Amino acid sequence: MKYSTSLATAGLVQLALGLPAPQMTYEENTGDVGGVNPPIPTYTGPPVGDLRGSTNLQGGIASRPPVSGGASAIVADPELVNGQEADGKLGLYLDFDSATYPNGPQPIRGGMGGTDPGPRTYEYEKLNPDIYAPPETDVGTVPQAMWPLGLSHNLFGSGQESGWARQQNQNNLPVATAMAGVDMRLAPNAYRELHWHTSGEWALVLKGSVRVAAINTDGESFVDDVTEGDVWFFPQGVPHSLQALHEGAEFLLIFDSGTFSETDTFLATEMLMRTPISVWAKDLQTDVSSFDNIPDAEKYIFNGTPAPANITEQNITSSAGALWGPDGYTYHWSQQEWHNTTGGSVKILDPATFPVADMFSAALVVLEPGAMREVHWHTESDEWSYFLQGSARITVYQAPAASQTFDFTAGDVGYIQKSAGHYVENTGAGDVVFLEVLQARRFSDISAAQWLALTPRQVVKDTLNLTDAVLDAIPKDKTLIKPGNPNMTAIAVTGHL
């Protein structure tokens, strides 16, 4: 709208309408491909030529085509990055971002694979090196475990620049049967209209601050302000409202159903519109004229009046009183101290300290460069994860003999099925920050290293052929995080981490 207005002021609307649409420029293959020899000459005029060719072009009838001198599939001077020529079983992280267009990256690892003459878009390969050139240890079939929310359709609010929401559910990540996620943005003072869900809603504030309000079945009311790093939870069916405060907000919502859809939410506006006015007049003990100005469409996300700075002005209670403490719907996780260990930091939130969210357990994890969340699996729940910052990779081991490695960057969702072994390794130059969410009454996992350390020695040696020196060095207590060399290809040269 602002763009059109400014053009109109300059008298350039007609000129702008005639301009070609701007195009993104990507690093991709160019030249002849698939029998097409670009650039194609521009043609203006009535259609000419047939859409279908002659039957004389059928195999055995047509003359033999030339097999050289055309669009060769040979890639001249392919470029390999550090680690690509190392043993493929090492599975080193390959920094394809350092590859030089158009000679790299190439899908080669440990002498396997081959060059790629195209078609291709290099940005995808740079973001997903373990998909493009997988470790030799990746075998078999593992369900797709990664979805970038940047590829989810964005649904805009009803108000002018009031906000938006995008979601992940089984429609785009079929393996995610137990949980789904929504990334929502509210402009300063904007609302997510009064609503409720058929699923429980666990939320982490990513940016800004939100005022939340709700009531339970006993008529106890709740209102609180949450800020970046804080959490709220509303059980299934509990009606609530969300309003961004003066700096706006973005938050992550996790629901306890893989089929959850933001578009299936129960809305106060729709409930009002879909029930006879006479019924509402009786229910609210008022005249039917009171409903002359009710909305004629859902409001969804819309701009609102700034919330009063004094929250007590909105703390309305019945004789049942207010909810607080263990019955309250928020937890100020931002104020919890970190558990610090070599290689990173962790903090856990589960029903032990936030009992209202009786089946949500979460860990917020920070990994330093080169560090990793140790190899582990969860016994009680699938894991839904979200990457807030940095880059990482996860190898998912699926019984009995399959594995696949996935790459993640900020804004990506991961999903790992219960009992599937996995780790999270920082692949970037800075810290990686990610969230792990379980449907469990306690956040827990099995540490692969601790299991080996606490299993009778001869059993491990006879099964895995590991030496006493290796087993002696494994801590008997769970470490959660393992430190590592930020130079992730150093082992290929030195033989040491």
Side-chain angles (χ1 to χ4, degrees):
M1 183 64 69
K2 294 177 181 178
Y3 179 65
S4 299
T5 302
S6 62
L7 287 176
T9 302
L12 298 176
V13 172
Q14 296 303 317
L15 175 61
L17 293 176
L19 293 174
Q23 298 292 316
M24 295 291 289
T25 301
Y26 298 100
E27 290 182 348
E28 59 180 332
N29 57 294
T30 58
D32 298 354
V33 63
V36 180
N37 311 112
I40 305 300
T42 301
Y43 174 78
T44 304
V48 295
D50 294 331
L51 291 172
R52 295 175 177 81
S54 168
T55 56
N56 291 331
L57 299 180
Q58 295 170 353
I61 300 176
S63 58
R64 183 172 177 266
V67 294
S68 61
S72 173
I74 295 175
V75 176
D77 302 319
E79 177 187 348
L80 302 184
V81 303
N82 289 340
Q84 277 192 270
E85 295 177 286
D87 186 340
K89 289 184 178 179
L90 284 174
L92 302 177
Y93 181 74
L94 304 177
D95 179 15
F96 280 168
D97 201 44
S98 65
T100 306
Y101 168 82
N103 298 328
Q106 299 295 337
I108 294 172
R109 187 189 285 265
M112 305 301 289
T115 57
D116 184 356
R120 55 191 295 200
T121 300
Y122 291 74
E123 279 76 4
Y124 291 141
E125 297 146 11
K126 290 180 177 181
L127 283 172
N128 299 282
D130 291 290
I131 298 292
Y132 193 55
E136 189 177 327
T137 49
D138 279 16
V139 295
T141 301
V142 171
Q144 174 65 26
M146 188 275 284
W147 176 260
L149 275 175
L151 292 182
S152 290
H153 181 76
N154 222 339
L155 182 60
F156 292 165
S158 63
Q160 184 73 25
E161 296 187 11
S162 56
W164 46 259
R166 53 190 177 183
Q167 68 182 8
Q168 164 276 315
N169 56 24
Q170 281 192 273
N171 288 341
N172 41 39
L173 193 57
V175 70
T177 57
M179 285 171 275
V182 173
D183 177 20
M184 184 172 289
R185 161 72 163 144
L186 298 181
N189 308 312
Y191 293 99
R192 172 64 170 103
E193 76 159 276
L194 293 160
H195 65 282
W196 69 98
H197 306 287
T198 58
S199 302
E201 172 186 309
W202 191 99
L204 173 68
V205 182
L206 303 174
K207 298 280 187 179
S209 300
V210 182
R211 180 161 295 172
V212 301
I215 69 164
N216 66 9
T217 55
D218 294 326
E220 296 171 298
S221 58
F222 181 84
V223 61
D224 194 15
D225 291 339
V226 285
T227 192
E228 178 182 355
D230 289 343
V231 169
W232 73 72
F233 176 76
F234 296 119
Q236 175 270 326
V238 168
H240 54 280
S241 67
L242 310 171
Q243 183 179 18
L245 299 181
H246 66 283
E247 292 184 341
E250 182 174 355
F251 43 87
L252 184 69
L253 305 165
I254 301 99
F255 296 90
D256 54 10
S257 170
T259 59
F260 173 86
S261 175
E262 178 69 8
T263 58
D264 293 336
T265 298
F266 290 95
L267 305 170
T269 51
E270 290 288 350
M271 183 174 65
L272 197 63
M273 291 186 290
R274 307 306 163 201
T275 306
I277 295 298
S278 62
V279 172
W280 278 117
K282 182 181 296 185
D283 194 67
L284 302 182
Q285 294 291 285
T286 188
D287 190 79
V288 293
S289 62
S290 300
F291 302 95
D292 289 347
N293 297 315
I294 64 171
D296 57 5
E298 70 171 79
K299 288 195 168 182
Y300 182 44
I301 295 172
F302 64 102
N303 296 311
T305 303
N310 184 359
I311 194 173
T312 60
E313 295 179 26
Q314 295 189 324
N315 188 13
I316 305 169
T317 61
S318 70
S319 58
L323 291 164
W324 59 281
D327 297 320
Y329 293 131
T330 59
Y331 188 87
H332 294 275
W333 207 14
S334 62
Q335 300 176 34
Q336 178 179 321
E337 295 295 328
W338 289 91
H339 168 81
N340 297 309
T341 185
T342 304
S345 303
V346 183
K347 56 182 177 180
I348 286 173
L349 179 61
D350 60 20
T353 50
F354 192 32
V356 71
D358 62 344
M359 285 300 291
F360 273 87
S361 296
L364 191 59
V365 183
V366 179
L367 299 177
E368 297 171 5
M372 75 176 203
R373 173 81 163 88
E374 67 175 344
V375 178
H376 66 282
W377 57 91
H378 302 286
T379 61
E380 298 183 25
S381 170
D382 294 355
E383 175 186 321
W384 189 97
S385 55
Y386 180 79
F387 287 81
L388 285 73
Q389 193 173 89
S391 60
R393 67 174 180 171
I394 298 174
T395 298
V396 179
Y397 160 62
Q398 201 81 26
S403 67
Q404 185 170 333
T405 306
F406 301 88
D407 300 287
F408 296 83
T409 53
D412 290 350
V413 171
Y415 196 90
I416 300 157
Q417 292 174 299
K418 180 169 59 177
S419 298
H422 60 285
Y423 63 88
V424 183
E425 183 179 32
N426 186 344
T427 58
D431 290 348
V432 65
V433 183
F434 65 96
L435 177 73
E436 300 179 45
V437 180
L438 309 179
Q439 287 291 292
R441 297 185 186 279
R442 181 174 177 270
F443 190 92
S444 64
D445 60 41
I446 294 290
S447 161
Q450 186 181 42
W451 176 41
L452 296 180
L454 299 180
T455 298
R457 180 64 58 92
Q458 85 279 358
V459 175
V460 179
K461 292 175 66 175
D462 289 350
T463 303
L464 300 178
N465 298 329
L466 295 177
T467 66
D468 285 320
V470 170
L471 298 176
D472 286 341
I474 302 175
K476 293 180 174 59
D477 292 321
K478 189 180 298 185
T479 56
L480 297 177
I481 293 173
K482 306 290 188 182
N485 189 340
N487 181 353
M488 302 188 70
T489 58
I491 190 174
V493 178
T494 66
H496 301 286
L497 292 173

